[in-house]
Amino acid sequence: MPRKKDMTRMCFGRSWSGLLCVALLCLAGLGLSSVAMGAEFKVGLVLDRGGKDDKSFNASAYEGAMRAKSKLGIFLKYVEATDDNAFEPLLRAFAQRDFDLIIGIGFAQKEAIKKVADQFPQKHFALVDSIVDSPNVRSLMFEEHEGAYIIGSIAALTSKTGKIGFIGGMDIPLIRRFEMGYTAGAKKINPQITVIANFVGVTGEAWNNPPKGKELAVTQYEGGVDVIFAAAGASGMGVFDAAEEKKKFAIGVDSNQDWTKPGLILTSMLKRIDEAVFTTIQEGQAGKFSGGVKRFGLASRGVDYSFDQYNAKILTEPVRKQADELKAEIIAGKIDVPDYYKKH
Amino acid sequence: MLAQLLASTLRVSTPLIFAALGGMFSERAGVVNIALEGMMLLGAFGAAVGTLVTHSPWLGSACGMGAGILLAALYGLFAIRLRANQIVAGTAINMLALGLTPFLCKILYDVTGSTPPIPIDQRFRTAPLYLSWVLVLVCWVWMKRTPSGLWISFAGEHPEALNAAGIRVNRVRWLAVLISGALAGMGGASLSIFLSSSFSRNMTAGRGFMALAALIFGKWKPVPTAIACLLFGFAEAVQIRLQGVSLLGSKPIPVQFIQILPYLVTILVLAGFVGHSRAPKAAGTPFQRE
């Protein structure tokens, strides 16, 4: 049987990584093929490495998709990438199946989305936090600097020591954008304030290293800082632990994290990824999907600060009032919030 | 300031010391242990779950050590019993731990990211820090002054001689690998219930390999190894404090440069000193009685 022989040679001639990819794709395909056939709108969600339970960035995206599932009756399948090389096969596995809309969460998926979207021009894609210039891709961008500006002002208004901190995951433009807005907002309230900025790491692990986040926070608190804004994914949990031990304030990010340590999380900078994801799915289902960049800022409540029963006692009325005034001024265009993306 | 730097150094090096001492037992007995990272990770998970169930960090860390021992037993099965290549088997163990922990997490708590947080009064405040240094002393005495310490050394240096003396080499190696798992598990436990408040995915973030480097730098001896861990911890603590500090009043030193400090120290130290450091002669070679 010459044909079988050729097949064998072809298979084993390939590199192991190739084989592994094929195996992975088959597995992913198997998982997806169990999908029931039907006319319902199918959404594939590819989460970042933090996973759906990071209580922050991915959790917000997952929440939006789940809301769409229960409210709009769509079919939802989500996967969590374990490393950056997994994005492309995962996205492609969705695209090859009968999924109508594929949503990638996180800037790390930019190249993978670009590649897969160009290969499947009839499918719709959405990407959070990065811009892909393809007609079938919607880029969901948040004006983090605006939200961070308000957070900075809240931190400065609450701080008694005149020293506030910032702990980012990796030193990347996105996180610098948070930091720049935060610092500007704090300086608006108190021009003499000191802002100490630290970063957890240089690799993707930086988003998932709570012990390091805690050590950074302890160092800042010991140095006189009394409010820390953590924009570090799951590493932020370590910052909250430090706040608990030192009885100081911390500020959450992306999702509302006030509940994780009631009375210690001053507020959270909300990034309504859930809203963006929900709206995208809703429009997709209604046949109104459009490509291009969608921006979510303070005006559209895409970014905001949180206020609920968990921080009601610590986020005082006068502080909220001032923050809301600043918010109105930014929306009215009276304050020019520095944007790292535009300055670099 | 100096006291805080010292405290920070000691905290950061605690998990490294446990794991490196664990690695010492296994490697001195002739089994290369690249699987420290995986054992730490499963230990961190076991300790978090154990503490959540028993509400005691002591029982929790016992669970962490147990988890490390379980994984070490699997490693021993491949590396000692089946005489597999130790590097390959060790890498497999690391990958297994990486996948197994979120899987178990999903089964137990229906989340893949991290275990539920452990309340502050059920976490360690300082105990593992002191314990790690007590352990350094115990290991030093053990390796230097007891017959079993001598057997371990011989299993790694001259297994034939040990065999000729009537001691079962592989039994000694099994013991060493299991101790190694227990200590690496304790290292993981100090990550999840001492230095943070829950287990989170891949939270070891390369600390197992740092421990391995410290072990090599410390010439496979307990006290120098612990000092090497301290050095890495110190580099990390300094790194944290140097972030954003400006030199000569100009722009701050780029944070990426500062963050490579611990790794730079690792490379410099290994390149500079490992020349004088010699691995146990039979490390990596499975033993078979003729």
Side-chain angles (χ1 to χ4, degrees), chain A residues 208-255:
Chain A
N208 228 336
N209 196 345
K212 181 77 183 287
K214 184 179 172 188
E215 200 56 42
L216 285 164
V218 165
T219 307
Q220 289 196 357
Y221 286 135
E222 282 176 349
V225 165
D226 59 354
V227 184
I228 298 178
F229 178 29
S235 301
M237 294 299 147
V239 177
F240 299 166
D241 286 343
E244 191 178 24
E245 272 177 28
K246 298 278 172 190
K247 304 269 182 294
K248 300 274 166 67
F249 289 128
I251 296 174
V253 78
D254 295 345
S255 286

Side-chain angles (χ1 to χ4, degrees), chain A residues 49 52-53 55 80 171 198-199 201-202 205 208-210 212 214-216 218-219 222 241 244, chain B residues 4 8 11 111-112 114 123 194-197 200-202 207 236 239-241 243 255-256 259:
Chain A
R49 296 170 31 143
K52 75 173 172 67
D53 304 306
K55 302 190 183 79
E80 296 174 337
D171 186 7
N198 286 150
F199 296 90
V202 284
E205 271 150 12
N208 228 336
N209 196 345
K212 181 77 183 287
K214 184 179 172 188
E215 200 56 42
L216 285 164
V218 165
T219 307
E222 282 176 349
D241 286 343
E244 191 178 24
Chain B
Q4 287 168 2
S8 184
R11 274 197 303 267
V111 294
T112 54
S114 56
R123 302 200 293 260
F194 168 49
L195 295 178
S196 64
S197 63
S200 66
R201 196 196 287 191
N202 195 19
R207 287 178 180 90
E236 181 96 2
Q239 184 255 104
I240 285 170
R241 280 160 181 79
Q243 279 192 25
V255 65
Q256 289 88 347
Q259 280 170 337

Side-chain angles (χ1 to χ4, degrees), chain B residues 96-119:
Chain B
L96 177 71
L98 202 57
L100 193 62
T101 41
F103 177 68
L104 292 175
C105 215
K106 173 88 183 165
I107 292 177
L108 289 173
Y109 304 109
D110 200 31
V111 294
T112 54
S114 56
T115 56
I118 298 158

